[in-house]
């Protein structure tokens, strides 16, 4: 499975990659996990097939919709094309009326039809005989919802809570199964893919006698969407992947939309949409299991465009009544200048600090500089593209010239930093605040990680750090 490293930075600038964009003069493109659809005048081209698919046949059909997203009868068109030099191109027949159209595409390779590879065919418009991509039915609304997803430490810790917080025996069953499924896998994305594959292959959609409890679903191997989602989320959280229960409606036509649930995981600093229910074609009907050899892998990490053709998000929540919404971000906190002094291994050091909620916060690079050369030293790297911070224990810190300066006058308030933090390659969630463009942390949080002790001398108002 191809791995994606697109960043999700909790801003509208990120998911706008799902919107139409202009590239290579007048060509309009829409990207997906595997191919890029290019809309160029009267032609529609799928580009990016690996070389091994050259010569295979691609089937493309499209039909017109009205502005209520309902299909208009007798407007279908079908084409075939051969993959050549990684491309399959279709020339429209010129008889189409201006309006909104939906595409469907699949290709035949070695006698097998495959649709996931072409999952972003989606919608396009014809205006004055020219083609251009169009947003999917719920794409604009879903884009706004996913843009507003929280990424602060409180929210991510919530999305990592074990499913069974008060039932150790049940949680152990989940932990054991998650460990079994992901054995030998270290990459979080691949762990999530393995969990999706296991659930879709081993659980059947039931017409009766189903449960939504993950352990029961494991035992009975049947569920409806809530059970599929709860089991997927429980397994993901067990291996350290934040996962949210996402509710909404889904259907292939406006008339068929019904209540539904699926998973929103948080991997590679972006939301990954996972619908284990639609990914599974197994059924339990009239007391009998019907196991399929083929399920639908394209419902793991579906693109926003593809997903929004059939899924309309209502809300993100977890296994409690805690709703996971942007308006619940922690309120900005009052910031004060700190009068505390700092001493490292008996030597006074001069760094600025602020006080928030009775705790003293120091600039991360100041702390890295004063700990450099000790047994608790760590390096600091910042990724501008991902807005992420990476710390590595034991590595020397390389100064950037901003260390050791006096703290500027405190702002009236500060908000929690949303920059993802990775320490020794693992995602960590200590509380930090963004003040004057810098990230400030509590000493005790970092001390627990990098192995230094923190003390307080009330007589001299001095914070003491010992690295030995």
């Amino acid at each position: 499975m191809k791995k994606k490293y697109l960043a999700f930075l909790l801003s509208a600038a990120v998911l706008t990659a799902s919107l139409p964009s202009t590239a290579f003069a007048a060509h309009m493109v829409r990207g997906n996990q595997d191919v890029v659809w290019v809309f160029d005048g009267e032609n529609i081209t799928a580009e990016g097939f690996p070389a091994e698919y050259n010569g295979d046949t691609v089937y493309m059909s499209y039909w017109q919709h009205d502005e209520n997203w309902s299909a208009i009868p007798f407007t279908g068109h079908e084409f075939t094309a051969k993959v050549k030099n990684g491309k399959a191109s279709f020339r429209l027949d010129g008889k189409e009326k201006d309006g909104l159209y939906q595409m469907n595409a699949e290709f035949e390779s070695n006698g097998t039809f495959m649709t996931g590879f072409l999952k972003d065919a989606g919608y396009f418009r014809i205006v004055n005989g020219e083609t251009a991509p169009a947003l999917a039915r719920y794409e604009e609304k879903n884009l706004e919802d996913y843009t507003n997803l929280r990424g602060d430490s409180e929210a991510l810790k919530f999305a990592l809570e074990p499913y069974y917080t008060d039932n150790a025996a049940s949680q152990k069953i989940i932990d054991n199964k998650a460990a079994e499924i992901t054995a030998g896998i270290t990459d979080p994305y691949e762990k999530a893919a393995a969990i999706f594959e296991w659930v879709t292959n081993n659980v059947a959609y039931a017409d009766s006698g189903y449960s939504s409890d993950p352990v029961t679903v494991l035992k009975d191997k049947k569920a409806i969407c809530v059970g599929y989602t709860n089991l997927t989320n429980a397994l993901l959280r067990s291996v350290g992947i934040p996962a949210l229960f996402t509710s909404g409606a889904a259907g292939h036509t406006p008339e068929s939309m019904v209540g539904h649930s699926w998973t929103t995981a948080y991997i590679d600093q972006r939301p990954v949409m996972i619908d284990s229910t639609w990914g599974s074609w197994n059924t339990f009907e009239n007391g009998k299991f019907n196991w399929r050899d083929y399920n639908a892998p394209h419902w793991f990490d579906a693109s926003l465009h593809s997903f929004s053709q059939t899924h309309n998000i209502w809300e993100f929540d977890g296994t409690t009544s805690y709703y996971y919404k942007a308006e619940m971000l922690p309120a900005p906190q009052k910031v004060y200048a700190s009068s505390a002094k700092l001493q490292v291994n008996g030597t006074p050091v001069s760094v600025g600090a602020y006080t928030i909620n009775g705790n003293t916060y120091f600039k991360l690079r100041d702390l890295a500089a004063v700990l450099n050369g000790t047994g608790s030293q760590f390096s600091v790297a910042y990724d501008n593209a991902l807005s992420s911070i990476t710390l590595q224990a034991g590595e020397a810190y390389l100064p950037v010239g901003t260390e050791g300066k006096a703290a500027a006058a405190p702002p009236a308030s500060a908000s929690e930093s949303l920059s993802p933090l990775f320490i020794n390659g693992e995602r960590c969630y200590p509380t930090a605040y963004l003040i004057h463009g810098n990230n400030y942390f509590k000493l005790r949080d970092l001390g627990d990680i990098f192995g230094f002790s923190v003390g307080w001398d009330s007589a001299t108002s001095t914070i003491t750090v010992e690295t030995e």
Side-chain angles (χ1 to χ4, degrees), residues 361-377:
Y361 285 79
F362 292 88
K363 189 167 71 176
L364 181 62
R365 288 191 177 275
D366 284 348
L367 294 175
V370 300
L371 291 171
N372 216 17
T374 73
S376 298
Q377 70 177 11

Side-chain angles (χ1 to χ4, degrees), residues 312-325:
N312 180 15
I313 300 163
W314 292 342
E315 64 189 9
F316 304 95
D317 58 44
T319 56
T320 73
S321 61
Y322 183 108
Y323 291 108
Y324 190 85
K325 292 196 173 183

